[in-house]
Amino acid sequence: GESVGLHLPTLSVQEGDNSIINCAYSNSASDYFIWYKQESGKGPQFIIDIRSNMDKRQGQRVTVLLNKTVKHLSLQIAATQPGDSAVYFCAEELLYNFNKFYFGSGTKLNVKP
Amino acid sequence: DADVTQTPRNRITKTGKRIMLECSQTKGHDRMYWYRQDPGLGLRLIYYSFDVKDINKGEISDGYSVSRQAQAKFSLSLESAIPNQTALYFCATSVRTGQQFFGPGTRLTVL
């Protein structure tokens, strides 16, 4: 079956530094990849997504990189702020499998002041 | 007002009880989903519905059932709750591909 996982369960960074959160996936047929942020006590919140035919997409302070050769996805957060502290999930969507989503287990980002 | 709401937000129940979790959305999306989240695990799909007449099992549907009463409402039921169903439950909606919009979650404890 499909699996989406994360390399590191916890990441600590200094405020102002850049953060990189990584994700590995196993299904080369995945069509969409999405990053979510989940703050304590809240539901996941969409950050950015990327189609499988792209290798980079930029948002406000965030960049997602997709390397299909090694089935790797990363989320880069520029100038990390205390408000960025949360758990970050990657998810993959398989359009051929009735648009099902598969989520990784999450990486907890701690931003130190 | 929140676009996706869930009730109740917290629930403690006993083994064998029937429980219903409700989800409502004002986003006008056709697609709705129920997930559970356990510590150290990602969200796992329980059921999903692409419109009012469409109900599909997810990867962990055993022990659960759903009802899509209207485009805006999608309920999850545990017919006979058991302790390993203790988890955080999320409802989500989407238009088509990509972004899903999540509710605030329901924390369920089965004793």
Side-chain angles (χ1 to χ4, degrees), chain B residues 94-110:
Chain B
S94 71
V95 177
R96 296 183 303 277
T97 59
Q99 183 178 359
Q100 290 187 326
F101 297 84
F102 287 84
T106 294
R107 185 170 296 281
L108 177 66
T109 302
V110 183

Side-chain angles (χ1 to χ4, degrees), chain A residues 32 34 36 38 41-46 49 51 87 89 93 95 97-106, chain B residues 9 31 33 35 37 40-43 45 48 50 57-59 88 90 94 96-100 102-104:
Chain A
Y32 261 103
I34 306 115
Y36 289 92
Q38 186 176 20
K42 297 183 179 180
Q45 181 181 14
F46 173 86
D49 61 4
R51 289 179 177 265
V87 175
F89 296 92
E93 182 179 8
L95 297 180
N97 196 7
F98 304 102
N99 297 97
K100 286 186 180 178
F101 290 84
Y102 296 88
F103 288 81
S105 56
Chain B
R9 294 295 313 278
R31 300 184 175 191
Y33 308 79
Y35 292 92
Q37 184 178 40
L41 297 177
L43 294 165
L45 183 63
Y48 62 103
F50 283 176
K57 292 183 178 181
E59 59 183 310
L88 195 53
F90 287 101
S94 71
R96 296 183 303 277
T97 59
Q99 183 178 359
Q100 290 187 326
F102 287 84

Side-chain angles (χ1 to χ4, degrees), chain B residues 22-85:
Chain B
E22 299 190 0
C23 176
S24 294
Q25 53 115 346
T26 58
K27 300 191 75 67
H29 292 168
D30 286 327
R31 300 184 175 191
M32 299 187 74
Y33 308 79
W34 274 105
Y35 292 92
R36 68 177 277 175
Q37 184 178 40
D38 297 278
L41 297 177
L43 294 165
R44 291 184 291 166
L45 183 63
I46 306 173
Y47 270 96
Y48 62 103
S49 169
F50 283 176
D51 63 42
V52 175
K53 299 177 182 178
D54 177 76
I55 300 289
N56 304 283
K57 292 183 178 181
E59 59 183 310
I60 55 163
S61 58
D62 288 348
Y64 301 94
S65 62
V66 291
S67 174
R68 185 79 183 268
Q69 301 95 324
Q71 186 203 39
K73 296 184 181 296
F74 193 33
S75 302
L76 176 71
S77 294
L78 287 69
E79 296 301 325
S80 180
I82 55 177
N84 76 1
Q85 291 178 312

